[in-house]
Amino acid sequence: MPKQRIWRHQRPFQHAIILTAPVCGILMLTLQVRPPSVEMAMPGPVRIGWQVGLIAAGLLGLTGLLWPGRCSTRLGLELASMLMLGTVMGMYAVALWVISGRMAVVAASFITAVALGACWRGWEIVRDLRRLMRPRQPYHADALGGLP
């Protein structure tokens, strides 16, 4: 059976977004500065949850990328991060579309692409976790060419 490879260090765009997400969330919470579309489209508790979700998604992603233990735990943390990131970016894209309409085509398209990319990566992680769950086939002497 061929070895299974999980490419954890081959995603520089994902790493950049995961590094930036908590910084943006912390800055928005501490400086009380948010995009106008978020201010207008999201009520106070939802807005705070959105910012905390941004921070949590980034920190979970960083934890998953740096996890020294089992591969399945690392992938699970990264999966949680990608699902949260896809959700908060989707919320932001909807806020942009609703408030700004056609004026937000460029920004909302970019944010939507980030949300879809996070969901795509989540699907890849689920696929990798399923591969890890498959039982390994024992090697038989017949499969090795009759070696004792």
Side-chain angles (χ1 to χ4, degrees), residues 1-28:
M1 174 177 237
K3 288 186 179 181
Q4 297 174 5
R5 294 180 186 248
I6 297 172
W7 300 99
R8 112 179 213 207
H9 296 295
Q10 300 294 325
R11 306 187 186 288
F13 293 108
Q14 175 190 348
H15 298 179
I17 290 171
I18 286 174
L19 284 169
T20 307
V23 172
C24 291
I26 290 169
L27 288 174
M28 284 190 283

mmCIF file of all heavy atoms in Angstrom, residues 1-28:
data_model
loop_
_atom_site.group_PDB
_atom_site.id
_atom_site.type_symbol
_atom_site.label_atom_id
_atom_site.label_comp_id
_atom_site.label_asym_id
_atom_site.label_seq_id
_atom_site.Cartn_x
_atom_site.Cartn_y
_atom_site.Cartn_z
ATOM 1 N N MET A 1 0.848 -1.171 0.000
ATOM 2 C CA MET A 1 0.000 0.000 0.000
ATOM 3 C C MET A 1 0.895 1.236 0.000
ATOM 4 O O MET A 1 1.796 1.343 0.825
ATOM 5 C CB MET A 1 -0.894 -0.039 1.223
ATOM 6 C CG MET A 1 -1.726 1.196 1.406
ATOM 7 S SD MET A 1 -2.819 1.018 2.820
ATOM 8 C CE MET A 1 -4.327 1.307 1.978
ATOM 9 N N PRO A 2 0.648 2.193 -0.884
ATOM 10 C CA PRO A 2 1.493 3.383 -0.935
ATOM 11 C C PRO A 2 1.282 4.260 0.289
ATOM 12 O O PRO A 2 0.216 4.244 0.903
ATOM 13 C CB PRO A 2 1.035 4.091 -2.209
ATOM 14 C CG PRO A 2 -0.338 3.596 -2.463
ATOM 15 C CD PRO A 2 -0.385 2.205 -1.914
ATOM 16 N N LYS A 3 2.312 5.008 0.625
ATOM 17 C CA LYS A 3 2.212 5.916 1.760
ATOM 18 C C LYS A 3 1.247 7.040 1.437
ATOM 19 O O LYS A 3 1.178 7.509 0.306
ATOM 20 C CB LYS A 3 3.578 6.511 2.092
ATOM 21 C CG LYS A 3 4.513 5.540 2.726
ATOM 22 C CD LYS A 3 5.767 6.255 3.155
ATOM 23 C CE LYS A 3 6.712 5.284 3.825
ATOM 24 N NZ LYS A 3 7.920 5.925 4.279
ATOM 25 N N GLN A 4 0.532 7.487 2.450
ATOM 26 C CA GLN A 4 -0.372 8.615 2.283
ATOM 27 C C GLN A 4 0.365 9.884 2.683
ATOM 28 O O GLN A 4 1.036 9.919 3.704
ATOM 29 C CB GLN A 4 -1.601 8.431 3.145
ATOM 30 C CG GLN A 4 -2.421 7.229 2.755
ATOM 31 C CD GLN A 4 -3.555 6.997 3.711
ATOM 32 O OE1 GLN A 4 -3.795 7.782 4.608
ATOM 33 N NE2 GLN A 4 -4.259 5.901 3.518
ATOM 34 N N ARG A 5 0.222 10.902 1.863
ATOM 35 C CA ARG A 5 0.884 12.168 2.159
ATOM 36 C C ARG A 5 -0.161 13.233 2.417
ATOM 37 O O ARG A 5 -1.121 13.358 1.684
ATOM 38 C CB ARG A 5 1.756 12.606 0.994
ATOM 39 C CG ARG A 5 2.913 11.692 0.762
ATOM 40 C CD ARG A 5 3.732 12.187 -0.397
ATOM 41 N NE ARG A 5 4.751 11.224 -0.703
ATOM 42 C CZ ARG A 5 6.031 11.450 -0.521
ATOM 43 N NH1 ARG A 5 6.450 12.587 -0.067
ATOM 44 N NH2 ARG A 5 6.911 10.511 -0.824
ATOM 45 N N ILE A 6 0.067 13.990 3.450
ATOM 46 C CA ILE A 6 -0.785 15.126 3.771
ATOM 47 C C ILE A 6 0.110 16.342 3.719
ATOM 48 O O ILE A 6 1.057 16.477 4.498
ATOM 49 C CB ILE A 6 -1.451 14.947 5.147
ATOM 50 C CG1 ILE A 6 -2.354 13.718 5.098
ATOM 51 C CG2 ILE A 6 -2.217 16.192 5.520
ATOM 52 C CD1 ILE A 6 -2.927 13.311 6.402
ATOM 53 N N TRP A 7 -0.155 17.224 2.790
ATOM 54 C CA TRP A 7 0.707 18.374 2.525
ATOM 55 C C TRP A 7 0.331 19.516 3.451
ATOM 56 O O TRP A 7 -0.535 20.301 3.155
ATOM 57 C CB TRP A 7 0.576 18.790 1.060
ATOM 58 C CG TRP A 7 0.963 17.701 0.146
ATOM 59 C CD1 TRP A 7 0.132 16.849 -0.507
ATOM 60 C CD2 TRP A 7 2.288 17.309 -0.186
ATOM 61 N NE1 TRP A 7 0.855 15.950 -1.239
ATOM 62 C CE2 TRP A 7 2.184 16.214 -1.064
ATOM 63 C CE3 TRP A 7 3.547 17.775 0.162
ATOM 64 C CZ2 TRP A 7 3.299 15.586 -1.597
ATOM 65 C CZ3 TRP A 7 4.640 17.142 -0.380
ATOM 66 C CH2 TRP A 7 4.510 16.068 -1.235
ATOM 67 N N ARG A 8 1.001 19.611 4.560
ATOM 68 C CA ARG A 8 0.640 20.623 5.535
ATOM 69 C C ARG A 8 1.397 21.921 5.324
ATOM 70 O O ARG A 8 0.931 22.960 5.714
ATOM 71 C CB ARG A 8 0.818 20.040 6.918
ATOM 72 C CG ARG A 8 1.891 20.582 7.746
ATOM 73 C CD ARG A 8 1.903 19.904 9.072
ATOM 74 N NE ARG A 8 2.336 20.849 10.054
ATOM 75 C CZ ARG A 8 2.929 20.535 11.158
ATOM 76 N NH1 ARG A 8 3.125 19.290 11.444
ATOM 77 N NH2 ARG A 8 3.307 21.438 11.990
ATOM 78 N N HIS A 9 2.558 21.899 4.727
ATOM 79 C CA HIS A 9 3.358 23.115 4.593
ATOM 80 C C HIS A 9 3.323 23.681 3.176
ATOM 81 O O HIS A 9 4.183 24.449 2.810
ATOM 82 C CB HIS A 9 4.806 22.839 4.999
ATOM 83 C CG HIS A 9 4.937 22.472 6.440
ATOM 84 N ND1 HIS A 9 4.649 23.337 7.459
ATOM 85 C CD2 HIS A 9 5.298 21.312 7.030
ATOM 86 C CE1 HIS A 9 4.848 22.729 8.610
ATOM 87 N NE2 HIS A 9 5.235 21.498 8.378
ATOM 88 N N GLN A 10 2.359 23.301 2.377
ATOM 89 C CA GLN A 10 2.310 23.737 0.993
ATOM 90 C C GLN A 10 1.186 24.738 0.737
ATOM 91 O O GLN A 10 0.737 24.873 -0.370
ATOM 92 C CB GLN A 10 2.121 22.511 0.085
ATOM 93 C CG GLN A 10 3.208 21.489 0.197
ATOM 94 C CD GLN A 10 4.541 22.010 -0.293
ATOM 95 O OE1 GLN A 10 4.605 22.783 -1.232
ATOM 96 N NE2 GLN A 10 5.615 21.606 0.357
ATOM 97 N N ARG A 11 0.724 25.454 1.720
ATOM 98 C CA ARG A 11 -0.418 26.347 1.580
ATOM 99 C C ARG A 11 -0.090 27.744 2.105
ATOM 100 O O ARG A 11 -0.609 28.162 3.139
ATOM 101 C CB ARG A 11 -1.609 25.778 2.314
ATOM 102 C CG ARG A 11 -1.911 24.363 1.886
ATOM 103 C CD ARG A 11 -3.165 23.836 2.473
ATOM 104 N NE ARG A 11 -3.351 22.438 2.160
ATOM 105 C CZ ARG A 11 -3.675 21.977 0.972
ATOM 106 N NH1 ARG A 11 -3.825 22.782 -0.028
ATOM 107 N NH2 ARG A 11 -3.846 20.687 0.779
ATOM 108 N N PRO A 12 0.740 28.500 1.395
ATOM 109 C CA PRO A 12 1.140 29.816 1.916
ATOM 110 C C PRO A 12 -0.014 30.810 2.013
ATOM 111 O O PRO A 12 -0.035 31.640 2.924
ATOM 112 C CB PRO A 12 2.193 30.290 0.917
ATOM 113 C CG PRO A 12 1.947 29.513 -0.316
ATOM 114 C CD PRO A 12 1.371 28.199 0.123
ATOM 115 N N PHE A 13 -1.006 30.745 1.119
ATOM 116 C CA PHE A 13 -2.128 31.674 1.197
ATOM 117 C C PHE A 13 -2.970 31.397 2.437
ATOM 118 O O PHE A 13 -3.391 32.313 3.128
ATOM 119 C CB PHE A 13 -2.988 31.586 -0.062
ATOM 120 C CG PHE A 13 -2.280 32.070 -1.283
ATOM 121 C CD1 PHE A 13 -1.854 31.177 -2.243
ATOM 122 C CD2 PHE A 13 -2.010 33.416 -1.457
ATOM 123 C CE1 PHE A 13 -1.182 31.620 -3.366
ATOM 124 C CE2 PHE A 13 -1.341 33.869 -2.578
ATOM 125 C CZ PHE A 13 -0.923 32.976 -3.538
ATOM 126 N N GLN A 14 -3.210 30.126 2.716
ATOM 127 C CA GLN A 14 -3.961 29.751 3.910
ATOM 128 C C GLN A 14 -3.219 30.215 5.162
ATOM 129 O O GLN A 14 -3.822 30.758 6.073
ATOM 130 C CB GLN A 14 -4.170 28.242 3.959
ATOM 131 C CG GLN A 14 -4.831 27.765 5.235
ATOM 132 C CD GLN A 14 -4.814 26.262 5.372
ATOM 133 O OE1 GLN A 14 -4.517 25.542 4.428
ATOM 134 N NE2 GLN A 14 -5.117 25.781 6.551
ATOM 135 N N HIS A 15 -1.922 30.016 5.188
ATOM 136 C CA HIS A 15 -1.141 30.421 6.353
ATOM 137 C C HIS A 15 -1.189 31.934 6.541
ATOM 138 O O HIS A 15 -1.297 32.418 7.665
ATOM 139 C CB HIS A 15 0.296 29.945 6.222
ATOM 140 C CG HIS A 15 0.421 28.456 6.169
ATOM 141 N ND1 HIS A 15 1.620 27.815 6.039
ATOM 142 C CD2 HIS A 15 -0.500 27.465 6.219
ATOM 143 C CE1 HIS A 15 1.435 26.513 6.025
ATOM 144 N NE2 HIS A 15 0.144 26.284 6.118
ATOM 145 N N ALA A 16 -1.122 32.686 5.446
ATOM 146 C CA ALA A 16 -1.172 34.145 5.542
ATOM 147 C C ALA A 16 -2.520 34.608 6.093
ATOM 148 O O ALA A 16 -2.575 35.506 6.948
ATOM 149 C CB ALA A 16 -0.914 34.766 4.177
ATOM 150 N N ILE A 17 -3.596 33.996 5.647
ATOM 151 C CA ILE A 17 -4.919 34.380 6.135
ATOM 152 C C ILE A 17 -5.085 33.985 7.592
ATOM 153 O O ILE A 17 -5.630 34.750 8.400
ATOM 154 C CB ILE A 17 -6.018 33.763 5.244
ATOM 155 C CG1 ILE A 17 -5.992 34.453 3.884
ATOM 156 C CG2 ILE A 17 -7.385 33.882 5.885
ATOM 157 C CD1 ILE A 17 -6.855 33.808 2.846
ATOM 158 N N ILE A 18 -4.594 32.807 7.956
ATOM 159 C CA ILE A 18 -4.699 32.364 9.350
ATOM 160 C C ILE A 18 -3.887 33.271 10.267
ATOM 161 O O ILE A 18 -4.288 33.544 11.396
ATOM 162 C CB ILE A 18 -4.268 30.885 9.471
ATOM 163 C CG1 ILE A 18 -5.358 29.989 8.895
ATOM 164 C CG2 ILE A 18 -3.992 30.512 10.910
ATOM 165 C CD1 ILE A 18 -4.982 28.536 8.840
ATOM 166 N N LEU A 19 -2.746 33.740 9.803
ATOM 167 C CA LEU A 19 -1.946 34.662 10.605
ATOM 168 C C LEU A 19 -2.601 36.034 10.718
ATOM 169 O O LEU A 19 -2.501 36.696 11.755
ATOM 170 C CB LEU A 19 -0.544 34.831 9.996
ATOM 171 C CG LEU A 19 0.424 33.691 10.206
ATOM 172 C CD1 LEU A 19 1.658 33.871 9.323
ATOM 173 C CD2 LEU A 19 0.828 33.611 11.662
ATOM 174 N N THR A 20 -3.268 36.483 9.673
ATOM 175 C CA THR A 20 -3.854 37.815 9.647
ATOM 176 C C THR A 20 -5.190 37.886 10.384
ATOM 177 O O THR A 20 -5.517 38.923 10.959
ATOM 178 C CB THR A 20 -4.037 38.265 8.186
ATOM 179 O OG1 THR A 20 -2.791 38.135 7.507
ATOM 180 C CG2 THR A 20 -4.500 39.694 8.094
ATOM 181 N N ALA A 21 -5.967 36.824 10.369
ATOM 182 C CA ALA A 21 -7.308 36.836 10.945
ATOM 183 C C ALA A 21 -7.337 37.253 12.419
ATOM 184 O O ALA A 21 -8.102 38.160 12.777
ATOM 185 C CB ALA A 21 -7.975 35.478 10.758
ATOM 186 N N PRO A 22 -6.534 36.663 13.298
ATOM 187 C CA PRO A 22 -6.624 37.098 14.692
ATOM 188 C C PRO A 22 -6.131 38.523 14.896
ATOM 189 O O PRO A 22 -6.656 39.242 15.750
ATOM 190 C CB PRO A 22 -5.760 36.095 15.462
ATOM 191 C CG PRO A 22 -4.902 35.447 14.458
ATOM 192 C CD PRO A 22 -5.605 35.548 13.142
ATOM 193 N N VAL A 23 -5.160 38.941 14.112
ATOM 194 C CA VAL A 23 -4.666 40.321 14.231
ATOM 195 C C VAL A 23 -5.788 41.296 13.889
ATOM 196 O O VAL A 23 -6.029 42.273 14.622
ATOM 197 C CB VAL A 23 -3.436 40.543 13.316
ATOM 198 C CG1 VAL A 23 -3.031 41.993 13.287
ATOM 199 C CG2 VAL A 23 -2.284 39.656 13.765
ATOM 200 N N CYS A 24 -6.496 41.037 12.798
ATOM 201 C CA CYS A 24 -7.603 41.912 12.404
ATOM 202 C C CYS A 24 -8.705 41.918 13.460
ATOM 203 O O CYS A 24 -9.238 42.977 13.813
ATOM 204 C CB CYS A 24 -8.174 41.481 11.060
ATOM 205 S SG CYS A 24 -7.070 41.760 9.681
ATOM 206 N N GLY A 25 -9.067 40.741 13.958
ATOM 207 C CA GLY A 25 -10.111 40.670 14.981
ATOM 208 C C GLY A 25 -9.730 41.402 16.253
ATOM 209 O O GLY A 25 -10.542 42.134 16.831
ATOM 210 N N ILE A 26 -8.498 41.232 16.696
ATOM 211 C CA ILE A 26 -8.038 41.908 17.919
ATOM 212 C C ILE A 26 -8.012 43.420 17.714
ATOM 213 O O ILE A 26 -8.452 44.190 18.585
ATOM 214 C CB ILE A 26 -6.658 41.369 18.349
ATOM 215 C CG1 ILE A 26 -6.798 39.932 18.866
ATOM 216 C CG2 ILE A 26 -6.021 42.263 19.403
ATOM 217 C CD1 ILE A 26 -5.487 39.207 19.068
ATOM 218 N N LEU A 27 -7.524 43.869 16.562
ATOM 219 C CA LEU A 27 -7.490 45.306 16.287
ATOM 220 C C LEU A 27 -8.892 45.902 16.240
ATOM 221 O O LEU A 27 -9.125 46.997 16.761
ATOM 222 C CB LEU A 27 -6.740 45.593 14.987
ATOM 223 C CG LEU A 27 -5.237 45.402 15.029
ATOM 224 C CD1 LEU A 27 -4.636 45.586 13.645
ATOM 225 C CD2 LEU A 27 -4.602 46.364 16.025
ATOM 226 N N MET A 28 -9.840 45.191 15.629
ATOM 227 C CA MET A 28 -11.211 45.700 15.584
ATOM 228 C C MET A 28 -11.830 45.771 16.969
ATOM 229 O O MET A 28 -12.559 46.711 17.277
ATOM 230 C CB MET A 28 -12.072 44.844 14.656
ATOM 231 C CG MET A 28 -11.814 45.123 13.196
ATOM 232 S SD MET A 28 -12.994 44.335 12.106
ATOM 233 C CE MET A 28 -12.402 42.651 12.108
#
